[in-house]
Amino acid sequence: MGRTELQPGEHGSISIKQTGPKTWRARTRLKLMTGEIVPVSRNGSREDKARLKVQAAVAELLKAARGSDELKPDSKVGLACRQWVTEIRVRSTWPRPPMRAQTIDKYEYQLDRYVVPVLGPKRLNELTPASCQRLIDSIVARGEPGKKDMTNTAVRIRSVLNMVLDRAVIHDAIRDNPMRKTITPDLKQPVPRAITATDVYRLRKAVRKWVEGGKDRPGPDPSRNLAVVIDVLLGTGARIGEALALRWDEVDLDSAEGVPTVTIAATMVPVRGRGCVRQSIPKTDAGERVITLPPFVVESLRTIRPAMVTAAMPVFPSRRYRDDGTVLRCQAPSNLRRQLRAALAAADMTGEVHPHLLRSTVATFVARKRGVADAAALLGHKIQAGVTGRSYIERLRHAPDVSAVLQAMVEIGEQEARLREQDQGTEGDSARGNDRSDTRTEVQAA
């Protein structure tokens, strides 16, 4: 009669043989979960001890990770990190990628900066929850009170290392992910902030003054892009990358229906080795939307629209260079941020405004006038509606028309500025009148 076929995780009968005066050897065959059959033998000073040792060895082998062709239990953590980055980069080319290239660049930087120097030389089977927690603790300890407390960094490191070690579990290099047993500090929830309508007026005035004064500064004359981009951000609530990725075929200033619109369908992203490139999809699926433009944005865009435009021509092109004079590329966000800092410094407004603050300003103004739902739709945020919303309701790509609300935001700032200037002028005239009266009194007294 032949041997009974073992199933994965099962072992055969244990045979015991005395090999010496006080030595017994117990043997059996074990079928691992991978289907591989391995012999197991242990020695003991008594028959029952040898049997117990074989049973303990069987249990240990069933729990032990075996690894794969790519990754073994004794592989280094640094190798696991490199393999994960390489694998996820390949998957970023899928039609609907689980992760985009710019996100992978950030994760790769964080692994190289914080994880590999500390855990890279360790073997996967040497990792413990304690060693992973020490890594998190060391990152938090580098921080300083305030904005540099390293809390966000610690949370991101835990997230990316979780993904690396989850892949090691898939390859059976480890049986359990020790990173999942670690803890991090709670993230501080950001406090939304918005500028006033008066500040909107001051910003637009400062930017235009800086652009117009460019001829008096050394270097090439600045384009009007900065002033127009600021207006687009204020009139749409778009992200800076979405605004700079616009092409003229996505801007309709002369609509047959008389409703000027702009279509947000792309964004600018930094990609390692390629610089800042135009990504043909926005940051999120809900980010694709059509926005009705307020009059002040329409007027601003008309000032820079060429007489002849092509579909792929960027609305905000970067400068032409001698080696690339025939290709118009979208302007990089870092370039526009640099120009904005210069304009704010010239107006003594350093640190008062940044591009994303304009997005929260638009959201705040719209939410107060029209409600949170309209503000979310304008900004391209996904509105949760359960299974019904996910599976049965076609998403409206056209954002609610809040152009009148945003036009009012700009006009209110201008009216407040004019009133303030009139009040200051009246006070000045009154002061000069008092000075003249005092002078006449002094002359008459003399």
Side-chain angles (χ1 to χ4, degrees), residues 244-256:
L244 294 179
L246 286 174
R247 293 177 173 174
W248 280 112
D249 64 332
E250 298 165 339
V251 178
D252 187 359
L253 302 182
D254 303 304
S255 169

Side-chain angles (χ1 to χ4, degrees), residues 167-188:
R167 178 183 179 274
V169 172
I170 291 174
H171 282 267
D172 198 32
I174 53 176
R175 285 296 173 90
D176 188 35
N177 182 350
M179 201 67 191
R180 293 198 174 276
K181 297 179 175 65
T182 61
I183 60 174
T184 58
D186 291 336
L187 284 175
K188 183 179 180 181

Side-chain angles (χ1 to χ4, degrees), residues 206-215 217 222-227 339 343:
V207 167
R208 278 161 173 74
K209 183 177 180 181
W210 182 81
V211 170
E212 292 168 0
K215 296 180 179 180
R217 294 191 296 270
S223 68
R224 294 186 59 84
N225 282 3
L226 177 61
Q339 294 179 26

Side-chain angles (χ1 to χ4, degrees), residues 267-314:
T267 188
M268 299 296 292
V269 295
V271 177
R272 182 175 297 183
R274 298 174 58 193
C276 195
V277 300
R278 186 180 189 270
Q279 178 180 275
S280 59
I281 51 177
K283 183 177 180 180
T284 64
D285 291 339
E288 186 178 343
R289 58 206 186 276
V290 179
I291 300 173
T292 303
L293 295 176
F296 77 94
V297 180
V298 175
E299 294 173 8
S300 191
L301 284 169
R302 288 191 190 281
T303 63
I304 63 168
R305 185 173 63 176
M308 297 293 295
V309 297
T310 60
M313 184 182 294

Side-chain angles (χ1 to χ4, degrees), residues 38 50 72 82 153 258 273 286 374:
V38 296
K72 301 292 184 182
R82 176 51 49 196
T153 301
D374 280 1

Side-chain angles (χ1 to χ4, degrees), residues 30-202:
L30 170 66
K31 189 167 188 177
L32 300 174
M33 303 307 294
T34 60
E36 179 186 0
I37 297 178
V38 296
V40 182
S41 66
R42 292 292 186 273
N43 293 330
S45 58
R46 295 201 311 263
E47 185 176 349
D48 58 337
K49 285 188 175 181
R51 181 186 297 275
L52 290 174
K53 284 186 177 181
V54 164
Q55 291 173 343
V58 166
E60 187 66 27
L61 285 171
L62 290 176
K63 291 191 299 183
R66 306 288 292 181
S68 66
D69 292 339
E70 297 181 33
L71 205 60
K72 301 292 184 182
D74 59 351
S75 298
K76 300 293 182 66
V77 175
L79 174 64
C81 293
R82 176 51 49 196
Q83 287 184 355
W84 178 82
V85 171
T86 302
E87 187 176 274
I88 203 69
R89 282 200 185 281
V90 173
R91 293 174 181 171
S92 70
T93 62
W94 288 357
R96 294 183 62 82
M99 195 177 296
R100 295 176 182 174
Q102 64 272 22
T103 305
I104 299 173
D105 289 342
K106 293 178 183 177
Y107 283 151
E108 183 177 19
Y109 168 79
Q110 290 162 358
L111 289 171
D112 291 343
R113 174 75 181 275
Y114 298 102
V115 177
V116 173
V118 179
L119 297 181
K122 286 184 173 293
R123 301 184 187 280
L124 288 169
N125 55 14
E126 294 175 340
L127 284 183
T128 63
S131 61
C132 293
Q133 186 64 57
R134 282 195 294 271
L135 171 65
I136 298 297
D137 294 344
S138 67
I139 294 172
V140 176
R142 298 187 196 183
E144 302 174 2
K147 294 183 179 181
K148 298 182 180 180
D149 64 2
M150 299 290 284
T151 297
N152 289 344
T153 301
V155 172
R156 287 195 296 267
I157 292 302
R158 183 180 186 274
S159 175
V160 65
L161 192 51
N162 255 328
M163 290 185 280
V164 171
L165 296 182
D166 278 347
R167 178 183 179 274
V169 172
I170 291 174
H171 282 267
D172 198 32
I174 53 176
R175 285 296 173 90
D176 188 35
N177 182 350
M179 201 67 191
R180 293 198 174 276
K181 297 179 175 65
T182 61
I183 60 174
T184 58
D186 291 336
L187 284 175
K188 183 179 180 181
Q189 295 299 320
V191 179
R193 188 169 71 89
I195 60 177
T196 65
T198 302
D199 292 330
V200 168
Y201 168 78
R202 292 173 56 228

